[in-house]
Amino acid sequence: KNEVEQSPQNLTAQEGEFITINCSYSVGISALHWLQQHPGGGIVSLFMLSSGKKKHGRLIATINIQEKHSSLHITASHPRDSAVYICAVRSRGSQGNLIFGKGTKLSVKP
Amino acid sequence: GAGVSQSPSNKVTEKGKDVELRCDPISGHTALYWYRQSLGQGLEFLIYFQGNSAPDKSGLPSDRFSAERTGGSVSTLTIQRTQQEDSAVYLCASSLGGRAGGYEQYFGPGTRLTVT
């Protein structure tokens, strides 16, 4: 079993829809990252969080440490949001490397 | 300011040859990471440098892989006697630090390695 599990693996939405991507992990962590990878391959860090909730524009990330679960929400989705969204965790006591989920491929149709 | 840069962007090599991949981290970032993304697979950790500390090499898949970081800045990932299974995108990232609690990692554009 992977230490970081994401769901769904693939997601197709209509423009304007509210989107939720889930991430569950099985290890103790010091931080969780949400990353975005566009079709060209470049990876951008969206959020790093260790508790509570963060918001940036139309993106919201939440984490529940007790339940070992995080969600990434996209409000008013747009075709430019189409990308692979990757959840990654830094396990407690690690020297800094991340453990990655397999990603959620999001496609937003106009 | 400039982001993380990697070179070359693409590399095609014959099986058995050695390759060197370069990463220039963001100036002032003390932590540097190498990751690999194989086709259809998720990202996997290879090696991590933090300041002058001994690197964490726990992710290197075999002794054909090695990396160094000179002067706390530029890093080179070397793959000796390349195999077809080494074909992947090799990504470098850097952050202000790497201690528990963490810092945001900034990723380079990657080097796409194809071993024929």
Side-chain angles (χ1 to χ4, degrees):
Chain A
K1 187 179 187 301
N2 294 326
E3 293 168 298
V4 181
E5 296 275 2
Q6 286 186 237
S7 63
Q9 285 185 309
N10 292 280
L11 180 57
T12 300
Q14 287 298 127
E15 183 172 356
E17 286 185 357
F18 180 84
I19 288 163
T20 295
I21 299 170
N22 295 299
C23 175
S24 296
Y25 52 91
S26 57
V27 296
I29 69 167
S30 57
L32 182 143
H33 298 245
W34 281 103
L35 310 170
Q36 180 191 55
Q37 186 171 32
H38 277 281
I43 294 178
V44 174
S45 177
L46 299 175
F47 296 102
M48 184 185 73
L49 64 167
S50 55
S51 66
K53 176 180 176 179
K54 287 191 176 180
K55 184 176 190 291
H56 184 247
R58 296 180 293 106
L59 302 178
I60 302 166
T62 64
I63 188 168
N64 185 318
I65 296 294
Q66 288 71 33
E67 295 188 1
K68 295 186 175 179
H69 181 269
S70 175
S71 293
L72 176 69
H73 305 285
I74 305 175
T75 61
S77 60
H78 190 275
R80 65 176 175 267
D81 297 326
S82 298
V84 175
Y85 292 83
I86 302 169
C87 173
V89 303
R90 172 200 297 264
S91 64
R92 200 180 300 126
S94 80
Q95 293 197 56
N97 58 287
L98 298 177
I99 305 169
F100 298 88
K102 293 193 181 297
T104 294
K105 186 175 182 179
L106 171 65
S107 177
V108 181
K109 306 293 186 187
Chain B
V4 177
S5 61
Q6 293 185 245
S7 60
S9 55
N10 281 283
K11 176 72 176 178
V12 180
T13 190
E14 292 180 353
K15 178 181 171 181
K17 300 279 180 136
D18 297 353
V19 295
E20 283 189 353
L21 312 179
R22 177 187 167 105
C23 172
D24 280 271
I26 293 173
S27 178
H29 281 192
T30 60
L32 186 147
Y33 314 78
W34 281 100
Y35 299 102
R36 177 171 73 173
Q37 187 173 36
S38 303
L39 185 64
Q41 301 296 314
L43 285 144
E44 60 174 327
F45 164 74
L46 296 177
I47 188 169
Y48 158 69
F49 296 89
Q50 169 55 44
N52 295 321
S53 302
D56 176 359
K57 304 179 183 180
S58 60
L60 294 179
S62 79
D63 59 9
R64 295 186 296 104
F65 287 71
S66 63
E68 62 177 21
R69 189 178 184 193
T70 54
S73 180
V74 171
S75 177
T76 303
L77 177 69
T78 301
I79 309 174
Q80 294 179 310
R81 305 180 303 281
T82 52
Q83 303 293 313
Q84 288 186 327
E85 62 261 29
D86 300 334
S87 296
V89 176
Y90 289 81
L91 288 150
C92 175
S94 71
S95 68
L96 277 171
R99 298 184 64 81
Y103 294 89
E104 186 173 1
Q105 293 188 21
Y106 295 82
F107 286 79
T111 293
R112 182 176 296 277
L113 175 66
T114 303
V115 182
T116 61

